Amino acid sequence: MKKTGAEIFVESLKQEGVKVLFGIPGGVVLKIFDVLHQQKDVEVVLTRHEQGAAHMAEGYAKATGKVGVALVTSGPGMTNIVTGLADAYMDSVPMVAFTGQVSTNLIGNDAFQEADNVGISRPCTKHNVLVKDVRDLARTIKEAFYIARTGRPGPVLVDIPKDVSTEKAEFKYPDKVNLRGYSPTYDGDKHQIKQAAEEILKAKKPVIYIGGGALFSDAAHEILEFAEMTQIPVTMTLMGLSAFPGGHSLSMGMLGMHGTYWSNMAMHYADLVIAVGARFDDRVTGKIPEFCPEARFVHIDIDPTSIRKNVEAHIPIVGDVKTVLRQLNVVLRSMDGNQREIKELRRPWQKQIAEWKQAHPLKYHQDEKSTKPQYVIEELYKLTHDKGIIATDVGQHQMWAAQYFKGAKPRTWLTSGGLGTMGFGFPAAIGAQKAYPGELVVCITSEGSFQMNLQELATAATYNLPVKIVLLNNGFHGMVRQWQDLFYDGRYASSYLGKIPDFVKLAGAYGIRGLRALKPAEVEPVLREGLKHKGPVLMDFPVYPFENCYPMIPAGAAQHEMVLEDPPKLTKAQRGRVAKKKPEEGEGVLPA
Amino acid sequence: MERIISVLVENKFGVLARVAGLFSARGYNIESLSVAPTLDPTTSMITIVTVGDDRIIEQIMKQLNKVVEVLKVVDMTETSYLDRETALIKVHTRPEHRDEAMRIADIFRAKIVDSSPTTYTIEVTGDVDKVEALINMLQPLGIKELIRTGRVAIAREAKVPSRRESQAAKA
């Protein structure tokens, strides 16, 4: 029996096991939404902005490992998801975005709400297709999901013209895909793996460096086995956090620009770095010529373009992280069963790292007057511990969360790493909450990031998605202000936000519970009450506005040149300058 | 260093834009580009001439390989290959220059394919050195218009060794 394009679309989604999609209707996708409305298998979450829909699909995908789905209309609907696509592309998030398009006979005519969706999205998608014939629709959807979730995952855009959704064709969902130009490599080269194993057993100062690829490959178990067997300390990128238990004795926490002192020092003095699903981003390497000067690199990645892009790989292994580590673990086990010897060999190195850790731990000073942002995050961590999922926005709060949260379970840490998208956190938290309605989902954000997508409060309220928002409110674009402090003589160009809404009232306007902690002593009770609340809740924490995030590798510096605290002479003058500008009533929350 | 990269792709719309986009997005220039279907009408061969150091070229080749519709990528400059280009050159020919223009065309085994009282249009095919040498020779006469196809390249088959080479191999 023949079906319309819209029916084929919905049937195909069911075949792919899609339970929920995020989106907003519009002229050219009305037929599809009409069909969606008349069935129950695929739920539609109506967002308030298409960017929100894209980040929700990302949050859903990052939390579940399944493909996130967004459906938006042509023209502005599509252009509004571009940030989400670019974000998903940078962070390898499996996602399929369906966009409406004007009817095929109107394409190229500057029709109402027309945009070149495929052209605009080309550089920020793994693949994209304009479906010109309804008979190609089912196959294209099958391929889109396949491409999005296999290999190095990424976003795929499928552009569906209005007439394709209304015309009819025979529906048969293909059993398998046939893409002759696409076949990702999963198994690692045996010879390379053996060579890597030999170097790993020989190395005196090795480090395992884990990126986001480990999470999408579902390799947490293999990494744990690998690290424990070889007794090699582990550091994670911002994207790799939660792939290895943060509380494990071998964990050094995050590395890079705001990573821990000891993980960066370990990298700098390492003789062997085993990169696992990581891409040597500039925020990790700092100054490339001085990056890990003594190290040889084993680089495991499914994407050949990641290898030798930024740094030399002495032993490149192209393949799926989980598969390669399994192969590697087998080889290692066969080569050396003597655990005591390995432990002995690594002891001096572990001792050295422990000394670094002791010399410069993460630190801040909490007094009785104004709340320090790190304090809120530490208190939150004490209360939630290994429970639930954390989504963050982008900026100082994100770095503090990365430093103080020691995620134990994979996929419980959702953040925008590559693109650094402010406004990502809250919708991503909603997406994750939709996937796991019964779990605790906390969004750690700030007044700057949150205001970039706060319209989704309505979505959280409508679907009663009980996201707990922890908002660190310092009245500034904090990371920008920090750089201005350090590199622009404290001239706060456009980083001070001026009028900031009363977030408690704002939450109230959406029918959401709002709470505020004005003093450090109120932080813990507010968190406790907020986390206990059944529905969504917004907790506003006015914090000390001039706290800077340390340690820090200044841009262009090398790993071992970390700055550990505020340079003393700068701060006084700068703080004096800002203190002169007393905020007026209702303006930014600057605690006395 | 100059490279000739052959990219076998699926013959679908948007593929060329994706391939070209990989270059432009990274600030690399394409010196010349030619596209046409192969023996199999569902595939096309894109021949790209570009300039870059080894690291850049390696990155470009890997990125090209990643495109879903790209079937095969070969750096011709790493193999033994033949490359050819065709140019159509419209030359001003004052009466006293018409003989000279014909002579030059002859030397390069180029053909005069169109003629008017004041111009010749010369067609030449050859490797890039030959085409450029001809252009240089015709320049003093005055070139009115010049069109080049961009280069295409094909790998040489394994050659039969010469007698001297096989003797050397034995020794």
Side-chain angles (χ1 to χ4, degrees):
Chain A
M1 201 187 78
K2 287 194 167 187
K3 288 185 188 297
T4 64
E7 287 163 346
I8 290 173
F9 172 87
V10 175
E11 281 306 316
S12 301
L13 257 52
K14 286 184 196 169
Q15 295 281 336
E16 287 295 330
V18 175
K19 294 274 179 287
V20 57
L21 66 79
F22 305 90
I24 302 181
V28 295
V29 284
L30 277 174
K31 179 78 184 168
I32 294 177
F33 273 88
D34 189 50
V35 176
L36 282 166
H37 188 68
Q38 298 171 52
Q39 53 84 53
K40 287 214 166 72
D41 295 323
V42 184
E43 192 189 346
V44 178
V45 171
L46 171 66
T47 68
R48 290 301 178 269
H49 189 288
E50 286 89 353
Q51 189 189 351
H55 293 322
M56 284 178 210
E58 281 190 273
Y60 183 91
K62 283 187 171 185
T64 60
K66 293 184 195 148
V67 178
V69 181
L71 168 63
V72 300
T73 193
S74 60
M78 184 277 161
T79 55
N80 278 343
I81 64 163
V82 170
T83 304
L85 292 173
D87 190 271
Y89 193 43
M90 286 284 255
D91 286 349
S92 315
V93 183
M95 170 174 158
V96 176
F98 294 98
T99 54
Q101 182 56 276
V102 299
S103 287
T104 45
N105 64 327
L106 291 174
I107 292 177
N109 283 9
D110 295 337
F112 177 64
Q113 290 193 331
E114 183 186 355
D116 177 5
N117 295 352
V118 167
I120 291 170
S121 62
R122 189 172 292 126
C124 54
T125 51
K126 184 174 175 186
H127 187 59
N128 63 9
V129 200
L130 165 65
V131 183
K132 282 166 86 179
D133 188 324
V134 66
R135 288 168 297 181
D136 296 333
L137 186 59
R139 178 182 53 80
T140 307
I141 293 174
K142 175 93 186 173
E143 289 172 358
F145 277 86
Y146 179 75
I147 292 170
R149 71 168 172 261
T150 53
R152 176 176 177 179
V156 177
L157 181 139
V158 180
D159 199 23
I160 306 175
K162 185 175 185 183
D163 53 336
V164 170
S165 70
T166 53
E167 277 167 11
K168 288 187 170 182
E170 281 302 331
F171 174 69
K172 188 182 174 295
Y173 203 62
D175 300 329
K176 52 179 179 228
V177 293
N178 178 24
L179 294 159
R180 45 183 178 164
Y182 180 78
S183 57
T185 309
Y186 281 82
D187 290 340
D189 181 86
K190 283 188 188 124
H191 174 73
Q192 299 285 86
I193 287 173
K194 183 144 187 297
Q195 213 184 327
E198 279 164 10
E199 298 226 7
I200 286 164
L201 290 178
K202 243 179 20 209
K204 291 202 172 67
K205 298 183 289 177
V207 173
I208 301 172
Y209 150 55
I210 297 175
L215 287 165
F216 276 114
S217 168
D218 201 16
H221 177 75
E222 285 74 13
I223 290 170
L224 187 66
E225 192 189 348
F226 172 47
E228 286 183 343
M229 177 166 43
T230 55
Q231 287 295 305
I232 300 177
V234 176
T235 184
M236 287 162 274
T237 68
L238 180 66
M239 298 312 298
L241 289 175
S242 84
F244 187 77
H248 195 285
S249 62
L250 286 168
S251 169
M252 300 190 288
M254 183 174 71
L255 83 168
M257 185 172 270
H258 291 288
T260 59
Y261 176 77
W262 54 100
S263 65
N264 282 322
M265 293 301 275
M267 285 291 278
H268 189 76
Y269 291 101
D271 61 357
L272 182 70
V273 170
I274 305 125
V276 180
R279 59 188 176 89
F280 294 93
D281 169 84
D282 58 285
R283 286 303 195 253
V284 160
T285 60
K287 196 176 181 181
I288 293 265
E290 288 173 42
F291 175 65
C292 304
E294 296 167 29
R296 285 171 61 77
F297 294 104
V298 175
H299 195 169
I300 306 168
D301 205 297
I302 198 159
D303 180 2
T305 65
S306 289
I307 294 174
R308 294 193 62 208
K309 182 167 66 181
N310 297 327
V311 302
E312 190 56 42
H314 302 94
I315 306 178
I317 304 174
V318 175
D320 168 51
V321 164
K322 188 187 182 86
T323 315
V324 171
L325 283 180
R326 269 192 186 163
Q327 292 173 278
L328 182 62
N329 286 344
V330 169
V331 175
L332 283 168
R333 232 176 279 129
S334 72
M335 283 171 77
D336 195 327
N338 194 340
Q339 279 294 300
R340 198 176 299 161
E341 218 167 87
I342 276 279
K343 275 197 172 147
E344 216 47 56
L345 177 72
R346 304 276 189 250
R347 190 158 294 154
W349 179 229
Q350 287 169 352
K351 201 170 144 246
Q352 169 67 72
I353 291 168
E355 275 168 25
W356 281 323
K357 184 171 179 174
Q358 207 169 16
H360 299 290
L362 293 171
K363 60 172 187 237
Y364 64 93
H365 176 68
Q366 178 59 59
D367 56 30
E368 281 162 21
K369 274 193 287 183
S370 61
T371 309
K372 287 291 173 67
Q374 300 96 316
Y375 175 68
V376 180
I377 288 172
E378 267 212 303
E379 288 301 305
L380 176 66
Y381 179 61
K382 280 184 202 157
L383 288 172
T384 58
H385 221 72
D386 293 344
K387 285 200 303 277
I389 295 167
I390 304 294
T392 84
D393 258 304
V394 171
Q396 282 184 320
H397 71 271
Q398 177 191 31
M399 291 298 118
W400 282 314
Q403 289 174 344
Y404 288 94
F405 262 83
K406 297 179 177 59
K409 275 181 287 180
R411 302 189 192 289
T412 55
W413 171 256
L414 319 178
T415 197
S416 165
L419 198 67
T421 309
M422 290 172 69
F424 166 87
F426 181 43
I430 293 176
Q433 188 80 75
K434 189 69 207 166
Y436 299 111
E439 288 254 352
L440 172 69
V441 179
V442 181
C443 167
I444 302 178
T445 182
S446 68
E447 80 300 323
S449 287
F450 186 66
Q451 288 189 84
M452 290 202 181
N453 266 324
L454 68 78
Q455 75 284 350
E456 302 306 337
L457 281 170
T459 311
T462 304
Y463 295 89
N464 194 28
L465 293 167
V467 173
K468 316 294 181 226
I469 304 161
V470 172
L471 192 151
L472 301 178
N473 184 351
N474 62 7
F476 278 97
H477 285 304
M479 193 58 95
V480 173
R481 185 203 48 72
Q482 173 166 347
W483 282 52
Q484 289 168 336
D485 254 352
L486 296 172
F487 312 118
Y488 293 88
D489 294 332
R491 288 184 300 278
Y492 294 155
S494 305
S495 56
Y496 179 59
L497 285 170
K499 270 238 182 332
I500 284 176
D502 180 330
F503 286 109
V504 174
K505 280 190 190 157
L506 182 77
Y510 285 96
I512 283 174
R513 182 88 191 275
L515 297 164
R516 179 177 292 130
L518 283 170
K519 291 190 300 242
E522 291 170 7
V523 168
E524 201 258 4
V526 162
L527 281 170
R528 204 174 274 280
E529 197 180 335
L531 294 178
K532 221 168 51 193
H533 184 67
K534 285 271 184 286
V537 56
L538 195 166
M539 292 166 263
D540 180 25
F541 297 92
V543 293
Y544 177 64
F546 302 107
E547 189 70 10
N548 286 341
C549 183
Y550 292 108
M552 176 184 189
I553 304 174
Q559 282 169 318
H560 64 300
E561 298 168 335
M562 291 204 96
V563 179
L564 298 165
E565 57 192 8
D566 276 329
K569 65 176 166 52
L570 277 174
T571 51
K572 235 182 186 174
Q574 283 151 8
R575 284 169 198 181
R577 194 171 308 152
V578 175
K580 271 181 220 149
K581 187 186 179 311
K582 273 269 155 76
E584 289 161 37
E585 203 171 331
E587 227 179 315
V589 191
L590 293 171
Chain B
M1 192 187 142
E2 190 187 73
R3 302 291 188 126
I4 303 177
I5 301 173
S6 292
V7 191
L8 184 68
V9 300
E10 297 209 41
N11 196 354
K12 289 180 181 168
F13 62 89
V15 178
L16 179 60
R18 238 183 209 277
V19 167
L22 287 178
F23 285 79
S24 62
R26 289 168 179 76
Y28 307 150
N29 200 18
I30 292 176
E31 300 282 319
S32 91
L33 174 83
S34 100
V35 194
T38 64
L39 206 54
D40 170 2
T42 67
T43 66
S44 286
M45 184 66 84
I46 303 179
T47 310
I48 296 167
V49 179
T50 188
V51 176
D53 61 28
D54 287 355
R55 207 186 186 95
I56 290 177
I57 297 296
E58 183 185 327
Q59 204 29 237
I60 290 181
M61 304 258 300
K62 285 175 170 176
Q63 295 284 354
L64 286 168
N65 263 314
K66 238 169 100 169
V67 176
V68 171
E69 298 101 336
V70 168
L71 306 177
K72 197 176 170 193
V73 186
V74 179
D75 180 354
M76 297 304 274
T77 18
E78 289 205 330
T79 61
S80 178
Y81 68 99
L82 282 168
D83 71 312
R84 289 292 180 269
E85 179 179 34
T86 293
L88 295 171
I89 311 162
K90 199 179 280 176
V91 199
H92 287 292
T93 45
R94 268 176 268 143
E96 66 269 29
H97 285 156
R98 287 182 84 88
D99 281 355
E100 173 68 0
M102 277 180 83
R103 263 197 303 276
I104 294 171
D106 245 14
I107 292 168
F108 284 86
R109 290 193 202 113
K111 277 187 291 188
I112 294 171
V113 289
D114 189 32
S115 160
S116 79
T118 55
T119 63
Y120 278 147
T121 299
I122 299 173
E123 177 198 314
V124 64
T125 297
D127 62 20
V128 72
D129 291 342
K130 175 177 168 179
V131 172
E132 289 196 344
L134 175 60
I135 292 167
N136 287 340
M137 291 293 286
L138 292 172
Q139 205 113 46
L141 307 185
I143 293 175
K144 192 179 176 195
E145 210 181 330
L146 168 69
I147 307 286
R148 300 169 70 162
T149 56
R151 281 142 80 183
V152 292
I154 197 163
R156 284 181 192 272
E157 287 300 306
K159 67 171 183 174
V160 182
S162 70
R163 212 164 44 182
R164 194 194 293 164
E165 276 170 340
S166 40
Q167 273 164 2
K170 268 180 212 157

